[in-house]
Amino acid sequence: MSCILHIETSTTVCSVALSEDGQCIYHDEDRSGQNHNERIGTFVDAALSFADSHAIPLDAVAVSMGPGSYTGLRIGVSMAKGICYALNLPLVAVPTLELLAVPVLLRHDDLPADALLCPMIDARRMEVYSALYDRALHTVREIRAEVVEPGAYDEMLARHPVYFFGDGAEKCKSVITHPNAHFIDNIQPLAKNMSPLAEKRLITRKTEDVAYFEPFYLKDFVAIKPRKTL
């Protein structure tokens, strides 16, 4: 038996969940925007109180590792590491793009056998963070930052139906128009979907060094100077 605290802050949604033996037993989320720093502490305290009141000992903390929002990832990973230090728990890092694929696989069991999954996270303008997986979540194309242009996926689309989803996919609908391209709306990385990936990593002892673990930013953070007001 295992109980894992899950933290997800990689995009505009802030969410925290508890799972026991792979089943979500507690979940909270805020979809109102980039206020993770204000919400994460409250969510974590409530989840820990729930576990304590039900006499459920924590076995690990799982956090969405990126890519995604630089600030969001730092907030989530800092919180996860702090809990691991305080409670002497192992840290499990879950790739955010794999996490995005979990609800698609759970809700769409009618996908063709040769279908490929392409989770996309918005990275401003026409750039996205993306990867390609098969239905078993084996990597077909590694994670990368890319500017989506017409024809970008045509070679893969000529051989496979490809399902695009995530907040980055929405802005690509007018660009990726191949008949084999399919779009699934309203898919976001959420803590409540993290347990299948986190459980697997915990069982196989694929945990992180709490002292040295850093989020997977993919790109260097670039600070934007505010415009001067006249």
Side-chain angles (χ1 to χ4, degrees):
M1 296 179 65
S2 62
C3 179
I4 303 176
L5 174 69
H6 307 277
I7 297 173
E8 214 302 317
T9 56
S10 66
T11 62
T12 57
V13 181
C14 175
S15 62
V16 170
L18 280 173
S19 69
E20 187 175 26
D21 298 334
Q23 299 297 315
C24 182
I25 59 173
Y26 179 90
H27 176 246
D28 207 346
E29 65 184 51
D30 181 2
R31 297 172 179 258
S32 62
Q34 293 282 14
N35 57 352
H36 301 350
N37 203 35
E38 300 172 12
R39 306 298 294 162
I40 191 67
T42 302
F43 286 174
V44 166
D45 284 346
L48 294 177
S49 294
F50 179 92
D52 185 60
S53 66
H54 290 77
I56 304 172
L58 280 182
D59 296 290
V61 178
V63 66
S64 184
M65 65 180 287
S69 159
Y70 182 94
T71 302
L73 290 171
R74 287 199 69 82
I75 291 170
V77 169
S78 295
M79 176 61 71
K81 292 172 72 170
I83 299 167
C84 289
Y85 273 124
L87 301 180
N88 193 29
L89 294 172
L91 176 66
V92 177
V94 173
T96 306
L97 291 173
E98 288 186 31
L99 173 59
L100 265 175
V102 170
V104 173
L105 292 170
L106 292 177
R107 300 174 198 166
H108 299 272
D109 55 4
D110 57 343
L111 295 179
D114 64 338
L116 297 182
L117 308 179
C118 186
M120 289 180 162
I121 293 175
D122 191 354
R124 298 181 181 177
R125 300 183 180 88
M126 282 308 292
E127 191 171 21
V128 298
Y129 303 129
S130 66
L132 281 169
Y133 304 103
D134 65 16
R135 288 185 54 185
L137 278 186
H138 296 138
T139 302
V140 175
R141 197 205 68 197
E142 295 288 344
I143 298 171
R144 69 187 187 192
E146 62 174 336
V147 176
V148 179
E149 299 175 335
Y153 284 83
D154 282 1
E155 182 179 350
M156 195 66 70
L157 287 163
R159 294 181 281 126
H160 298 272
V162 180
Y163 290 78
F164 299 89
F165 48 90
D167 62 2
E170 182 65 30
K171 65 185 183 183
C172 297
K173 288 182 177 179
S174 62
V175 178
I176 303 174
T177 58
H178 193 283
N180 260 348
H182 308 275
F183 289 85
I184 302 175
D185 296 330
N186 301 317
I187 301 295
Q188 295 172 310
L190 297 173
K192 66 181 180 181
N193 295 324
M194 202 180 294
S195 58
L197 302 176
E199 287 276 349
K200 182 179 179 180
R201 282 166 170 77
L202 186 60
I203 291 171
T204 58
R205 301 182 183 278
K206 191 176 180 181
T207 58
E208 307 297 330
D209 186 316
V210 177
Y212 295 102
F213 176 73
E214 291 290 335
F216 177 44
Y217 297 118
L218 192 57
K219 294 197 307 180
D220 292 333
F221 175 66
V222 178
I224 299 176
K225 294 183 179 179
R227 294 180 179 177
K228 294 181 179 179
T229 56
L230 296 176

